[in-house]
Amino acid sequence: MSSTFDQVATIIAETCDIPRDTITPESHAIDDLGIDSLDFLDIAFAIDKAFGIKLPLEKWTQEVNDGKATTEQYFVLKNLCARIDELVAAKTASA
Amino acid sequence: MQLEYFQLIDRILDLNMDEKKITVEAQVPQHNTIFEGHFPGHPIMPGVLLIESMAQTSGWLLIALMKFERMPFLAAVKEAKMRGFVTPGECLTVEAGIVHEGSGYAITEAKVRVNGKLRCNATITFSLIPPPNPEFRRYMDAVAKRIDFPLQALPS
């Protein structure tokens, strides 16, 4: 089974036509990969479907806008993948 | 339909909150300046307006599901297919259903039929944000009344 990062990187590469080998765990989706908010909706949809979760984009955006979090916490891919793993674990635990 | 005001929907026929589906009716006007240019001697409803009718239909479904607390704004149109001409005077039945409800966005599938025959369909993405100001919210309330939005269908 592929890792969360491998799945997310593949989703980003296919959704945004970004060469897969340029996507690393340290990549910032916005600052490094140039993904805009509209493309990120497509990525969020693909992630939601692939992992059976609902990325809390509204909550994350609010936290960033309020200065309670940085974009790095949610949009650097290794951090994004950690959040995905947490959401999957929470879903599994509540099932 | 009042094309000059971009009011593409006339009436909500059915809003099914359990199945998350909506059906609306939209009467294409017999006469409009749009048809003078699109096209002389062969008047047809522009495809972009058919897409808009599907977007507005989807939008009302999303407004209902979000109990007017979020407003849907068109973000992306995918797989839009114009399968047949829509001509002046025809009555459209527009249906929409939910593909995915995300956080701050949603995706719908919508179809336009005339006399039961599919004329176009599309997959549409919306971003969902709170009403930008009280005036906007009042306008949406007025439109809801005009198109027979079934307020009783909303969960209390």
Side-chain angles (χ1 to χ4, degrees), chain A residues 38 41-46 48-49 53-59, chain B residues 70 75-76 78 99-105 107 125-128:
Chain A
L38 182 57
L41 291 187
D42 285 337
I43 292 168
F45 175 45
D48 284 359
K49 271 200 311 182
I53 58 173
K54 185 170 171 175
L55 285 183
L57 295 181
E58 282 188 301
K59 177 172 172 280
Chain B
R70 294 279 190 283
K78 295 179 180 174
V99 173
H100 183 70
E101 289 177 274
S103 168
Y105 74 100
I107 299 171
T125 302
F126 298 84
S127 56
L128 311 173

Side-chain angles (χ1 to χ4, degrees), chain B residues 2-19:
Chain B
Q2 292 193 64
L3 295 176
E4 293 80 1
Y5 292 92
F6 239 55
Q7 293 175 349
L8 278 294
I9 292 174
D10 291 327
R11 191 163 64 97
I12 294 176
L13 299 177
D14 185 57
L15 174 63
N16 189 321
M17 297 291 279
D18 294 328
E19 295 182 8

